[in-house]
Amino acid sequence: MGELGESAFKILFTEEQIKNKIVEIGMQITKDYKRENLTVIGILKGAFIFVADLIRQIHLPVAVDFIAVSSYGSATQSSGEVKIIKDLDISVKGRNLLLVEDIVDTGLTLKYLLENLKSRDPASIKTCVLLDKPQARKVEVPINYRGFTIDNVFVVGYGLDYDQKYR
C-alpha cells in the first residue's frame, strides 16, 4: 500500500460518538472499581489518546503506566510476533490492572500481554478496547469494556496509525 490519499478515508465514528462512548465506559469502570485501587496500563503508541480521554472519565484516583509492544512494523496486518519494546515503570504485584488497547484484531498482542502481566502477580486484570474486530480474531481474548465493534477493515485516527502517520 502506498501513501494513503485523502479519498481513502471514511469516517466510522464521529468525535461526538467517541466522546459519548468514553463517558459511558468511564462511568462503568468508576462503578466497578469504586472501592478498589486501579492501575490503568495503556498500550503504546496507538492507545495514548484513548487512555488520556478515558482516565478523565474514571472518577477515581488511578495510577497510569504504559507498555509498548511491536508487532506491526509498517505492515497493515499483525505479524503475530510480539515483543515488548518499553516495559512498565511500576510493579503490578497486587494491583487491579486495566489494560487499555486501541484495537483488537487477531488478539495475539492482547493475549501475549495478558499472559505476561498475569505472571507478575496482579490482584486482577481486565481489558478495555476502543475498537474490536472479531472477524480478524485468531485467538480468543477477554474484552471487559468495549467501545465499538467494527468490520475487518484497516482504520486510522484517534491514535491508530498507518506507518506512524494519520494518528
Side-chain angles (χ1 to χ4, degrees), residues 57-133:
Q57 300 304 322
I58 299 173
H59 301 290
L60 303 167
V62 298
V64 180
D65 202 351
F66 291 92
I67 192 165
V69 294
S70 174
S71 65
Y72 278 81
S74 57
T76 58
Q77 293 188 356
S78 177
S79 65
E81 295 179 26
V82 180
K83 182 173 94 174
I84 293 177
I85 53 178
K86 185 243 173 257
D87 207 342
L88 299 172
D89 294 325
I90 61 173
S91 168
V92 298
K93 184 176 177 69
R95 293 177 182 249
N96 294 305
L97 306 181
L98 181 64
L99 189 57
V100 180
E101 177 69 294
D102 54 355
I103 188 166
V104 175
D105 43 33
T106 64
L108 295 168
T109 299
L110 195 57
K111 181 177 191 277
Y112 172 84
L113 285 172
L114 284 169
E115 289 171 356
N116 182 290
L117 292 171
K118 281 179 187 171
S119 74
R120 303 180 194 198
D121 201 24
S124 69
I125 303 179
K126 288 189 178 180
T127 60
C128 178
V129 302
L130 178 64
L131 301 174
D132 182 16
K133 282 203 278 188

Side-chain angles (χ1 to χ4, degrees), residues 8-18 103 130-133 148-158 160:
F9 294 108
K10 175 182 141 188
I11 294 175
L12 297 179
F13 304 102
T14 65
E15 183 177 352
E16 186 78 11
Q17 287 174 304
I18 293 169
I103 188 166
L130 178 64
L131 301 174
D132 182 16
K133 282 203 278 188
F148 303 96
T149 300
I150 63 172
D151 291 331
N152 192 11
V153 294
F154 188 76
V155 292
V156 296
Y158 198 68
L160 290 86

